[in-house]
Short mmCIF file of all heavy atoms in Angstrom, two decimals:
data_model
loop_
_atom_site.label_atom_id
_atom_site.label_comp_id
_atom_site.label_asym_id
_atom_site.label_seq_id
_atom_site.Cartn_x
_atom_site.Cartn_y
_atom_site.Cartn_z
N SER A 38 -77.83 -53.89 -158.61
CA SER A 38 -76.72 -53.29 -159.35
C SER A 38 -75.74 -52.65 -158.38
O SER A 38 -76.13 -51.97 -157.42
CB SER A 38 -77.23 -52.24 -160.33
OG SER A 38 -77.99 -52.83 -161.34
N ASP A 39 -74.45 -52.83 -158.63
CA ASP A 39 -73.41 -52.23 -157.79
C ASP A 39 -73.20 -50.76 -158.12
O ASP A 39 -72.63 -50.01 -157.36
CB ASP A 39 -72.09 -52.97 -157.96
CG ASP A 39 -72.17 -54.40 -157.47
OD1 ASP A 39 -72.94 -54.64 -156.51
OD2 ASP A 39 -71.47 -55.26 -158.03
N SER A 40 -73.66 -50.36 -159.29
CA SER A 40 -73.47 -48.98 -159.73
C SER A 40 -74.71 -48.51 -160.46
O SER A 40 -75.40 -49.28 -161.12
CB SER A 40 -72.25 -48.89 -160.67
OG SER A 40 -72.23 -47.64 -161.33
N ASP A 41 -74.99 -47.21 -160.32
CA ASP A 41 -76.15 -46.65 -161.02
C ASP A 41 -75.99 -46.76 -162.53
O ASP A 41 -76.97 -46.69 -163.27
CB ASP A 41 -76.34 -45.18 -160.63
CG ASP A 41 -76.79 -45.02 -159.18
OD1 ASP A 41 -77.29 -46.00 -158.63
OD2 ASP A 41 -76.61 -43.92 -158.64
N SER A 42 -74.76 -46.94 -162.99
CA SER A 42 -74.52 -47.01 -164.43
C SER A 42 -74.72 -48.42 -164.98
O SER A 42 -74.71 -48.62 -166.19
CB SER A 42 -73.09 -46.54 -164.75
OG SER A 42 -72.14 -47.42 -164.15
N LEU A 43 -74.90 -49.40 -164.09
CA LEU A 43 -75.07 -50.78 -164.53
C LEU A 43 -76.54 -51.17 -164.51
O LEU A 43 -77.22 -50.92 -163.53
CB LEU A 43 -74.27 -51.73 -163.62
CG LEU A 43 -72.76 -51.57 -163.63
CD1 LEU A 43 -72.13 -52.52 -162.61
CD2 LEU A 43 -72.19 -51.83 -165.02
N PRO A 44 -77.03 -51.74 -165.59
CA PRO A 44 -78.43 -52.17 -165.60
C PRO A 44 -78.62 -53.39 -164.71
O PRO A 44 -77.69 -54.15 -164.43
CB PRO A 44 -78.68 -52.52 -167.07
CG PRO A 44 -77.32 -52.94 -167.58
CD PRO A 44 -76.34 -52.07 -166.85
N GLY A 45 -79.85 -53.61 -164.26
CA GLY A 45 -80.16 -54.80 -163.51
C GLY A 45 -80.38 -55.98 -164.45
O GLY A 45 -80.21 -55.86 -165.67
N PRO A 46 -80.76 -57.10 -163.91
CA PRO A 46 -81.02 -58.28 -164.75
C PRO A 46 -82.12 -58.00 -165.77
O PRO A 46 -83.05 -57.24 -165.52
CB PRO A 46 -81.47 -59.34 -163.73
CG PRO A 46 -80.96 -58.86 -162.41
CD PRO A 46 -80.97 -57.37 -162.47
N SER A 47 -81.98 -58.60 -166.92
CA SER A 47 -82.99 -58.48 -167.96
C SER A 47 -84.24 -59.26 -167.54
O SER A 47 -84.14 -60.38 -167.04
CB SER A 47 -82.45 -59.02 -169.28
OG SER A 47 -83.46 -59.04 -170.27
N VAL A 48 -85.41 -58.66 -167.76
CA VAL A 48 -86.69 -59.31 -167.46
C VAL A 48 -87.46 -59.46 -168.76
O VAL A 48 -87.72 -58.47 -169.45
CB VAL A 48 -87.51 -58.50 -166.43
CG1 VAL A 48 -88.83 -59.21 -166.14
CG2 VAL A 48 -86.71 -58.30 -165.15
N ARG A 49 -87.82 -60.69 -169.08
CA ARG A 49 -88.60 -60.97 -170.29
C ARG A 49 -89.92 -61.62 -169.89
O ARG A 49 -90.02 -62.23 -168.82
CB ARG A 49 -87.81 -61.91 -171.22
CG ARG A 49 -86.42 -61.40 -171.60
CD ARG A 49 -86.49 -60.26 -172.59
NE ARG A 49 -87.06 -60.69 -173.86
CZ ARG A 49 -86.35 -61.21 -174.86
NH1 ARG A 49 -85.03 -61.37 -174.72
NH2 ARG A 49 -86.93 -61.55 -176.00
N VAL A 50 -90.91 -61.52 -170.77
CA VAL A 50 -92.25 -62.07 -170.51
C VAL A 50 -92.61 -63.09 -171.58
O VAL A 50 -92.33 -62.88 -172.77
CB VAL A 50 -93.31 -60.95 -170.47
CG1 VAL A 50 -94.71 -61.54 -170.38
CG2 VAL A 50 -93.06 -60.01 -169.30
N ALA A 51 -93.24 -64.18 -171.15
CA ALA A 51 -93.74 -65.19 -172.09
C ALA A 51 -95.09 -65.70 -171.59
O ALA A 51 -95.41 -65.59 -170.41
CB ALA A 51 -92.75 -66.36 -172.21
N PHE A 52 -95.87 -66.25 -172.52
CA PHE A 52 -97.20 -66.77 -172.19
C PHE A 52 -97.31 -68.22 -172.66
O PHE A 52 -96.86 -68.55 -173.76
CB PHE A 52 -98.29 -65.93 -172.85
CG PHE A 52 -98.26 -64.48 -172.46
CD1 PHE A 52 -97.62 -63.54 -173.26
CD2 PHE A 52 -98.84 -64.04 -171.29
CE1 PHE A 52 -97.59 -62.20 -172.91
CE2 PHE A 52 -98.82 -62.71 -170.91
CZ PHE A 52 -98.18 -61.78 -171.73
N VAL A 53 -97.94 -69.05 -171.85
CA VAL A 53 -98.07 -70.46 -172.21
C VAL A 53 -99.34 -70.76 -172.98
O VAL A 53 -99.52 -71.86 -173.51
CB VAL A 53 -97.99 -71.38 -170.97
CG1 VAL A 53 -96.64 -71.30 -170.31
CG2 VAL A 53 -99.11 -71.05 -169.98
N ASP A 54 -100.26 -69.79 -173.06
CA ASP A 54 -101.53 -70.04 -173.74
C ASP A 54 -102.09 -68.73 -174.27
O ASP A 54 -101.71 -67.64 -173.82
CB ASP A 54 -102.52 -70.69 -172.77
CG ASP A 54 -103.65 -71.44 -173.48
OD1 ASP A 54 -103.64 -71.47 -174.72
OD2 ASP A 54 -104.52 -71.99 -172.79
N VAL A 55 -102.98 -68.82 -175.23
CA VAL A 55 -103.78 -67.73 -175.79
C VAL A 55 -103.00 -66.80 -176.71
O VAL A 55 -103.45 -66.49 -177.81
CB VAL A 55 -104.49 -66.90 -174.69
CG1 VAL A 55 -105.36 -65.81 -175.30
CG2 VAL A 55 -105.33 -67.80 -173.79
N LEU A 56 -101.84 -66.31 -176.28
CA LEU A 56 -101.07 -65.39 -177.10
C LEU A 56 -99.58 -65.62 -176.89
O LEU A 56 -99.18 -66.41 -176.03
CB LEU A 56 -101.44 -63.94 -176.78
CG LEU A 56 -100.94 -63.33 -175.47
CD1 LEU A 56 -101.03 -61.81 -175.54
CD2 LEU A 56 -101.75 -63.81 -174.29
N GLY A 57 -98.78 -64.97 -177.68
CA GLY A 57 -97.34 -65.11 -177.59
C GLY A 57 -96.70 -63.84 -177.07
O GLY A 57 -97.39 -62.86 -176.78
N PRO A 58 -95.37 -63.87 -176.94
CA PRO A 58 -94.48 -64.98 -177.30
C PRO A 58 -94.55 -66.11 -176.28
O PRO A 58 -94.82 -65.88 -175.11
CB PRO A 58 -93.10 -64.33 -177.29
CG PRO A 58 -93.22 -63.24 -176.25
CD PRO A 58 -94.62 -62.70 -176.41
N SER A 59 -94.29 -67.31 -176.75
CA SER A 59 -94.25 -68.47 -175.88
C SER A 59 -92.89 -68.52 -175.18
O SER A 59 -91.94 -67.85 -175.61
CB SER A 59 -94.44 -69.75 -176.69
OG SER A 59 -93.30 -69.98 -177.51
N PRO A 60 -92.77 -69.30 -174.11
CA PRO A 60 -91.45 -69.46 -173.48
C PRO A 60 -90.39 -69.93 -174.48
O PRO A 60 -89.25 -69.45 -174.45
CB PRO A 60 -91.70 -70.50 -172.38
CG PRO A 60 -93.13 -70.29 -172.01
CD PRO A 60 -93.82 -69.97 -173.30
N ALA A 61 -90.76 -70.86 -175.37
CA ALA A 61 -89.79 -71.35 -176.36
C ALA A 61 -89.35 -70.21 -177.28
O ALA A 61 -88.16 -70.11 -177.63
CB ALA A 61 -90.40 -72.49 -177.17
N ASP A 62 -90.28 -69.34 -177.68
CA ASP A 62 -89.93 -68.20 -178.54
C ASP A 62 -88.89 -67.31 -177.87
O ASP A 62 -87.90 -66.90 -178.48
CB ASP A 62 -91.17 -67.36 -178.85
CG ASP A 62 -92.17 -68.07 -179.74
OD1 ASP A 62 -91.75 -68.97 -180.51
OD2 ASP A 62 -93.37 -67.74 -179.67
N VAL A 63 -89.14 -66.97 -176.60
CA VAL A 63 -88.23 -66.07 -175.89
C VAL A 63 -86.88 -66.74 -175.67
O VAL A 63 -85.82 -66.12 -175.88
CB VAL A 63 -88.83 -65.66 -174.53
CG1 VAL A 63 -87.83 -64.82 -173.73
CG2 VAL A 63 -90.12 -64.88 -174.74
N LEU A 64 -86.87 -68.01 -175.29
CA LEU A 64 -85.61 -68.71 -175.03
C LEU A 64 -84.77 -68.84 -176.29
O LEU A 64 -83.54 -68.72 -176.25
CB LEU A 64 -85.89 -70.08 -174.43
CG LEU A 64 -86.47 -70.07 -173.01
CD1 LEU A 64 -86.93 -71.46 -172.59
CD2 LEU A 64 -85.44 -69.53 -172.01
N ARG A 65 -85.41 -69.07 -177.43
CA ARG A 65 -84.65 -69.17 -178.69
C ARG A 65 -84.02 -67.83 -179.05
O ARG A 65 -83.02 -67.78 -179.79
CB ARG A 65 -85.57 -69.61 -179.82
CG ARG A 65 -86.04 -71.06 -179.73
CD ARG A 65 -86.74 -71.48 -181.02
NE ARG A 65 -87.46 -72.73 -180.86
CZ ARG A 65 -88.78 -72.82 -180.71
NH1 ARG A 65 -89.52 -71.71 -180.73
NH2 ARG A 65 -89.36 -73.99 -180.56
N ASP A 66 -84.60 -66.75 -178.57
CA ASP A 66 -84.10 -65.41 -178.89
C ASP A 66 -82.94 -65.00 -177.99
O ASP A 66 -82.30 -63.97 -178.23
CB ASP A 66 -85.26 -64.41 -178.74
CG ASP A 66 -84.94 -63.05 -179.32
OD1 ASP A 66 -84.40 -63.01 -180.45
OD2 ASP A 66 -85.22 -62.03 -178.65
#
Side-chain angles (χ1 to χ4, degrees):
S38 294
D39 295 329
S40 167
D41 291 340
S42 64
L43 296 177
S47 174
V48 180
R49 304 287 296 272
V50 172
F52 301 97
V53 296
D54 201 1
V55 182
L56 74 163
S59 70
D62 292 334
V63 175
L64 291 170
R65 290 190 193 103
D66 192 46

